[in-house]
Amino acid sequence: MSTPHPTGPPPRRVRITSPRREARRPGVRRPPAQELEEQTGLGEVYLSALLKAQLRLSLAILLGIAVVVLGLPTLFVLVPATRDIHVGPVPLPWLAVGVLIYPIVFVAARIYVYQAERIEREFSDLMGQR
């Protein structure tokens, strides 16, 4: 019960609202895909995490391939005895650099594709699109 105001009736209540009509209400959860579509700050964080995971994978595969591709010729230069080894009529350096690198690159490519698909699948699951 309200007590009478000394100078007259009590003032009417005024509802104050935020001028930001698009502001979210606390406790309302939006799906991550909506955050991404609307390009909100959280959506940018999701996308940034995806891009960083893809970049880490690419750099790891690239580094692995670089070690093999650059390591074999370096081995043959630093250890001269390896230049004299023959597999049948073919010198080992020729065989290694000319033939054996291709299966290694193929396996690295398969690993890359498998891991990239895994990253994208996890991202899709997080976005709720599967």
Side-chain angles (χ1 to χ4, degrees), residues 2-128:
S2 84
T3 59
H5 198 271
T7 59
R12 291 187 47 166
R13 289 188 177 206
V14 176
R15 180 176 183 188
I16 299 173
T17 60
S18 170
R20 291 180 49 205
R21 298 265 184 227
E22 72 280 353
R24 290 190 315 167
R25 293 185 177 149
V28 175
R29 292 190 50 104
R30 296 178 357 172
Q34 186 178 0
E35 298 284 351
L36 193 61
E37 287 173 10
E38 294 178 3
Q39 298 178 350
T40 63
L42 184 57
E44 289 179 17
V45 170
Y46 287 139
L47 190 58
S48 174
L50 172 66
L51 294 176
K52 285 179 184 177
Q54 290 174 336
L55 180 63
R56 276 192 306 270
L57 174 62
S58 299
L59 291 177
I61 296 294
L62 181 65
L63 182 64
I65 292 294
V67 165
V68 172
V69 169
L70 298 176
L72 280 174
T74 304
L75 172 71
F76 298 136
V77 168
L78 295 177
V79 183
T82 57
R83 287 184 248 159
D84 297 331
I85 300 173
H86 285 69
V87 177
V90 181
L92 179 64
W94 285 25
L95 185 65
V97 174
V99 177
L100 296 179
I101 283 184
Y102 292 105
I104 295 170
V105 170
F106 178 78
V107 168
R110 297 293 296 168
I111 290 170
Y112 175 80
V113 168
Y114 176 78
Q115 293 297 325
E117 288 174 349
R118 181 188 58 81
I119 289 170
E120 290 175 4
R121 190 171 43 251
E122 289 174 358
F123 185 75
S124 291
D125 290 345
L126 177 67
M127 294 294 114

